[in-house]
Amino acid sequence: MKTSKADRISHHLPEEIIEEILYRLPVKSLLRFKCVSQSWRSLISTKQFVETHLQHSKKIESLTDKRIISTCKNSSKSSPGRLKACSLSSLLTEPVTRAVSFDFFPLNSSRDIVIVGSCNGLISVLVDACRFFLLNPSTREFKELPDFFTGTTCPKNLGSISGYGFGFDESRCDYKVYAVFTMTTPYDRDVGFPSKSVARVYSLKADSWGVNVFFEDRWTIGQGKFVSGKLHWINYYKTKLKWEIVCFDLTNESFGTVERPSCMEGCYIPRLGVFKGCLCMSFDCALTVGSDILIWNKYGAEDSWSELLSISYLSVFGNSSFTRMFNRVTPLFVLPSGEILFTSGSDFLIYNKKDGCVKQRHTVDFDCDRFREAEAYTESLVSLVPDNIAFF
């Protein structure tokens, strides 16, 4: 009887050694190795293997499993939106990096696509302001979520999905999407505040949207940043011209606030981000005509905020510094050398903190001539089938 190559390897190496080797391989290789033998396919598909492989990928400094996902849109109103990705390793080391389209789920002629969030290799996107999807780009799995508006009295034509977020509820081993639909009247649109909002949470395990969980007197808008089991937004009071950090706990599905750093008192409304698994905050500095970014090194400890980087637009970008003031500076990844990859406008750049120099990275096929959303994520084998979700 003919034996497979995997079986022959098993005769020479203990099973635990084989597992340790497989844990260190990129997702692309593991997907191929599923075809080597039934025993390897079973092993690679187990919840324990998926969990251990992802945790190992997050810890190591190798760039093999790291990718950048980006939304692309030309200024033409008739042009469709695109979701594309590129290798982080290529972006950092190659002269030119080519982007590839996500062609495995039905965008059709969609005009707009927004990244809701990313977590453990899964991506959530909002298409045409009403259709939510979950994707695993590595395994090419996708799932369209049930209609957000089913069971509500929300008229789609009198508002929009204004706030959203995606993360992992560790206590229930469940992936969740938060979304808020804001209905507006002509008066509300003039003054800039919503009149009525309906917020719901989608559970992948239940495959359904829950009841209204909106936080009164707050305005959650844009993408909530997922850190430590919570989604975070910068919010400001309707009646008071001041801002705060509000958070939504995915476990108990309730809102709260986060103490903002004392050094930010009196600062204009900043922008939140996630960097190295930590919450970070960026804001424009009028004195230096640049952007400062703070990082929260230990979640919950108010005194653990520190400066990540400070970029002077004038010294870095020269005569184009004025236009840079209207672009977001978003850190994406820190290199083993300590350099930082970030986006500004539709550009990818690398910042060297030691000498203050910035190098632009060149890309093709992103088809973008206006601001690009971008996020770094780690490839994984995490499944969209509820029974196969691994614990983390």
Side-chain angles (χ1 to χ4, degrees):
M1 184 176 179
K2 193 171 182 179
T3 58
S4 68
K5 187 175 182 179
D7 291 333
R8 292 197 298 273
I9 293 174
S10 299
H11 288 312
H12 298 284
L13 290 174
E15 186 174 337
E16 57 270 21
I17 299 298
I18 295 175
E19 288 188 29
E20 285 298 322
I21 293 173
L22 294 177
Y23 287 147
R24 286 160 171 74
L25 296 179
V27 170
K28 192 173 182 179
S29 297
L30 292 172
L31 292 174
R32 290 200 306 267
F33 288 169
K34 275 188 171 186
C35 302
V36 172
S37 72
Q38 183 59 46
S39 61
W40 280 22
R41 182 180 185 84
S42 298
L43 170 63
I44 295 170
S45 301
T46 62
K47 293 181 182 180
Q48 181 182 350
F49 184 92
V50 171
E51 175 188 352
T52 305
H53 178 265
L54 178 59
Q55 295 305 327
H56 184 269
S57 298
K58 288 181 176 180
K59 290 177 182 178
I60 61 176
E61 292 188 344
S62 171
L63 305 178
T64 307
D65 279 338
K66 308 295 190 296
R67 295 183 68 80
I68 300 292
I69 184 175
S70 176
T71 55
C72 306
K73 186 79 167 68
N74 290 324
S75 56
S76 171
K77 291 183 179 180
S78 60
S79 64
R82 291 285 183 264
L83 191 64
K84 296 194 173 186
C86 69
S87 162
L88 180 58
S89 176
S90 174
L91 189 63
L92 298 177
T93 60
E94 301 295 330
V96 178
T97 298
R98 186 173 297 277
V100 295
S101 296
F102 283 26
D103 57 358
F104 60 90
F105 80 107
L107 275 175
N108 299 326
S109 58
S110 304
R111 292 286 176 263
D112 184 53
I113 183 166
V114 174
I115 299 173
V116 174
S118 63
C119 181
N120 294 337
L122 299 185
I123 313 291
S124 177
V125 296
L126 173 62
V127 176
D128 288 338
C130 61
R131 300 167 62 199
F132 286 92
F133 286 84
L134 290 179
L135 322 168
N136 185 328
S138 307
T139 61
R140 299 176 66 84
E141 287 181 274
F142 74 90
K143 175 183 178 62
E144 182 169 4
L145 275 54
D147 183 25
F148 173 90
F149 300 94
T150 300
T152 73
T153 57
C154 302
K156 294 183 183 180
N157 61 332
L158 292 181
S160 62
I161 300 289
S162 57
Y164 39 81
F166 173 61
F168 184 64
D169 177 357
E170 189 172 350
S171 68
R172 293 179 173 83
C173 192
D174 193 10
Y175 289 92
K176 294 182 176 180
V177 176
Y178 166 90
V180 57
F181 176 83
T182 301
M183 290 174 278
T184 56
T185 66
Y187 170 79
D188 295 313
R189 286 192 290 270
D190 289 340
V191 300
F193 291 114
S195 59
K196 183 179 180 182
S197 298
V198 175
R200 308 180 78 183
V201 175
Y202 168 83
S203 159
L204 179 59
K205 271 193 169 182
D207 192 25
S208 63
W209 292 93
V211 297
N212 185 19
V213 292
F214 190 63
F215 190 30
E216 295 296 334
D217 199 36
R218 303 295 188 274
W219 194 4
T220 53
I221 188 168
Q223 185 196 76
K225 305 302 180 181
F226 181 68
V227 175
S228 295
K230 301 175 183 178
L231 297 169
H232 301 78
W233 293 265
I234 292 290
N235 291 268
Y236 58 92
Y237 292 89
K238 299 178 186 179
T239 56
K240 303 174 184 177
L241 296 178
K242 67 176 184 178
W243 59 269
E244 66 179 355
I245 305 173
V246 67
C247 63
F248 180 73
D249 191 318
L250 288 179
T251 296
N252 55 36
E253 297 187 1
S254 63
F255 279 93
T257 56
V258 172
E259 189 76 22
R260 66 180 181 179
S262 56
C263 61
M264 293 293 292
E265 290 296 333
C267 288
Y268 187 68
I269 300 172
R271 298 178 295 272
L272 292 181
V274 179
F275 189 68
K276 296 175 64 178
C278 299
L279 195 67
C280 66
M281 185 183 301
S282 62
F283 58 96
D284 294 326
C285 183
L287 293 177
T288 61
V289 192
S291 182
D292 292 346
I293 299 179
L294 304 179
I295 186 169
W296 205 7
N297 296 290
K298 184 178 180 181
Y299 191 89
E302 195 276 333
D303 61 352
S304 67
W305 286 92
S306 63
E307 184 178 271
L308 176 65
L309 61 90
S310 180
I311 298 177
S312 169
Y313 294 148
L314 186 61
S315 61
V316 173
F317 300 112
N319 294 331
S320 65
S321 60
F322 180 77
T323 59
R324 293 284 176 178
M325 292 177 64
F326 299 96
N327 292 328
R328 300 177 184 175
V329 173
T330 305
L332 294 177
F333 192 80
V334 60
L335 283 65
S337 63
E339 295 176 304
I340 295 172
L341 173 70
F342 68 95
T343 61
S344 176
S346 59
D347 297 325
F348 289 105
L349 305 107
I350 295 178
Y351 176 70
N352 189 320
K353 294 178 66 175
K354 294 179 180 179
D355 57 20
C357 291
V358 168
K359 297 179 291 185
Q360 184 171 351
R361 310 310 299 169
H362 298 286
T363 60
V364 294
D365 293 339
F366 267 114
D367 304 331
C368 180
D369 58 15
R370 73 181 195 191
F371 176 71
R372 168 195 298 145
E373 280 187 301
E375 287 195 18
Y377 72 95
T378 301
E379 290 189 298
S380 79
L381 296 165
V382 174
S383 175
L384 294 177
V385 179
D387 291 341
N388 293 337
I389 296 177
F391 288 87
F392 293 97

